[in-house]
Amino acid sequence: DQLLAPSGPLTGRRVVVTAGGTREPLDPVRYLGNRSSGKQGFALAEQAATAGAAVHLIAGITESQPPAGHPNITVERIETAAELQQAVHRRAADADVLIMAAAVADFRPAEYAAAKIKNNNDDAAPTITLSRNPDILAETVQRRTETGTGPAVIIGFAAETGDDRAEPLALAQQKLARKGCDLLVLNRVGENLVFGREDTEIHILASESAQAVLGQDVPVHFAGGKLQAAGVVVDCAATLLSSAAA
Ligand code: CTP
Ligand code: CA
């Protein structure tokens, strides 16, 4: 009976999705954060679940609530990049697909002040020293290379504005090579673009081996709703996964 035995391209697969931004505490009342509504990550979790996968959604700080009550989605909340790293490390080991849609803070305050930093009017403004956070995506790719374990498909996201030296697509191509992931999804960002909105425009870039599987259409371009965009990404992941298993 088709209704009782739903099957999709990701049935029996495990997918880990990270979404939202991280928050790096400076003192008990202050933090460094970044803008991420979480919407794109939530849409990816939903589409992967609809495609039949068992989805684990690791959500940082988000504007909206993660999808609740979906039988195929479990949700874990994290705040800092260090917590995200732990969660991904634990979950990636037996996942088939990792989708890193989270906006990870690149740096954190080097020291956490246990007591609130006071506004002493007579003193000079304090300097905040930063430490670099681990690159969770690159590290997961590296572990896969070294151990042969981990997700067969690893997908990164990049929000690029472009600058006076390079176009967003060229920057994303460099980032794909630097991170070593299989797919990199480029979002063009800027004033009034992408953040918090329902619609988006993406380019899906593929590594050489992923491109060989996906064929001529790479980079895949899509403009429209975040849910539909997520569907396009999930379709690519399913195609790569079926060729990895074959
Ligand atoms: N990412 C990560 N760990 C970090 C930073 C980023 O896992 N410490 C992941 C993001 O989740 C995303 C991808 O790497 O999937 C690209 O993130 P991005 O911030 O665009 O890359 P960066 O190398 O930090 O480059 P940029 O200078 O543009 O911020
Ligand atoms: Ca970054």
Side-chain angles (χ1 to χ4, degrees), residues 18 81 84 99-107 132-139 155-160 175 178-179 181 184:
T18 70
L84 180 62
I99 306 179
M100 286 290 302
V104 188
D106 295 329
F107 305 98
R132 186 179 301 278
N133 275 330
D135 189 320
I136 301 162
L137 175 63
E139 161 184 287
I155 303 176
F157 270 72
E160 304 284 359
K175 193 168 281 180
R178 203 164 69 235
K179 306 267 177 181
C181 50
L184 188 86

Side-chain angles (χ1 to χ4, degrees), residues 79-162:
E79 277 201 13
T80 65
E83 288 167 5
L84 180 62
Q85 180 191 32
Q86 288 278 315
V88 170
H89 188 58
R90 254 199 321 274
R91 291 288 176 164
D94 63 357
D96 298 292
V97 179
L98 170 66
I99 306 179
M100 286 290 302
V104 188
D106 295 329
F107 305 98
R108 64 179 182 279
E111 286 186 35
Y112 174 74
K116 183 186 168 192
I117 298 166
K118 296 299 291 176
N119 179 16
N120 293 324
N121 281 326
D122 300 338
D123 294 354
T127 300
I128 301 171
T129 305
L130 301 177
S131 295
R132 186 179 301 278
N133 275 330
D135 189 320
I136 301 162
L137 175 63
E139 161 184 287
T140 307
V141 170
Q142 197 186 346
R143 192 174 304 121
R144 181 177 70 177
T145 308
E146 285 167 6
T147 67
T149 63
V153 178
I154 300 179
I155 303 176
F157 270 72
E160 304 284 359
T161 57

Side-chain angles (χ1 to χ4, degrees), residues 9-241:
L10 291 178
T11 298
R13 304 295 203 166
R14 290 175 196 273
V15 174
V16 173
V17 178
T18 70
T22 66
R23 185 176 274 186
E24 311 295 327
L26 175 61
D27 72 13
V29 298
R30 303 188 180 91
Y31 56 83
L32 291 182
N34 51 56
R35 294 176 65 182
S36 173
S37 69
K39 281 181 185 153
Q40 187 63 76
F42 296 166
L44 287 156
E46 262 178 57
Q47 290 287 21
T50 299
V55 177
H56 188 68
L57 173 61
I58 305 171
I61 308 297
T62 59
E63 268 168 26
S64 44
Q65 289 302 308
H70 196 298
N72 288 12
I73 304 178
T74 54
V75 181
E76 173 179 5
R77 302 303 304 239
I78 56 89
E79 277 201 13
T80 65
E83 288 167 5
L84 180 62
Q85 180 191 32
Q86 288 278 315
V88 170
H89 188 58
R90 254 199 321 274
R91 291 288 176 164
D94 63 357
D96 298 292
V97 179
L98 170 66
I99 306 179
M100 286 290 302
V104 188
D106 295 329
F107 305 98
R108 64 179 182 279
E111 286 186 35
Y112 174 74
K116 183 186 168 192
I117 298 166
K118 296 299 291 176
N119 179 16
N120 293 324
N121 281 326
D122 300 338
D123 294 354
T127 300
I128 301 171
T129 305
L130 301 177
S131 295
R132 186 179 301 278
N133 275 330
D135 189 320
I136 301 162
L137 175 63
E139 161 184 287
T140 307
V141 170
Q142 197 186 346
R143 192 174 304 121
R144 181 177 70 177
T145 308
E146 285 167 6
T147 67
T149 63
V153 178
I154 300 179
I155 303 176
F157 270 72
E160 304 284 359
T161 57
D163 56 30
D164 49 5
R165 284 176 304 169
E167 288 297 312
L169 210 51
L171 290 172
Q173 203 72 53
Q174 292 162 16
K175 193 168 281 180
L176 171 71
R178 203 164 69 235
K179 306 267 177 181
C181 50
D182 305 301
L183 300 177
L184 188 86
V185 183
L186 164 69
N187 271 315
R188 284 200 51 185
V189 294
E191 287 298 310
N192 302 323
L193 282 173
V194 178
F195 284 119
R197 291 184 47 154
E198 295 303 332
D199 54 344
T200 188
E201 182 179 359
I202 60 167
H203 288 87
I204 305 174
L205 283 62
S207 69
E208 234 168 80
S209 59
Q211 189 154 353
V213 175
L214 294 176
Q216 305 291 325
D217 304 336
V218 177
V220 176
H221 176 247
F222 176 87
K226 284 187 176 173
L227 193 59
Q228 289 95 303
V232 177
V233 174
V234 166
D235 281 348
C236 288
T239 303
L240 290 182
L241 201 52

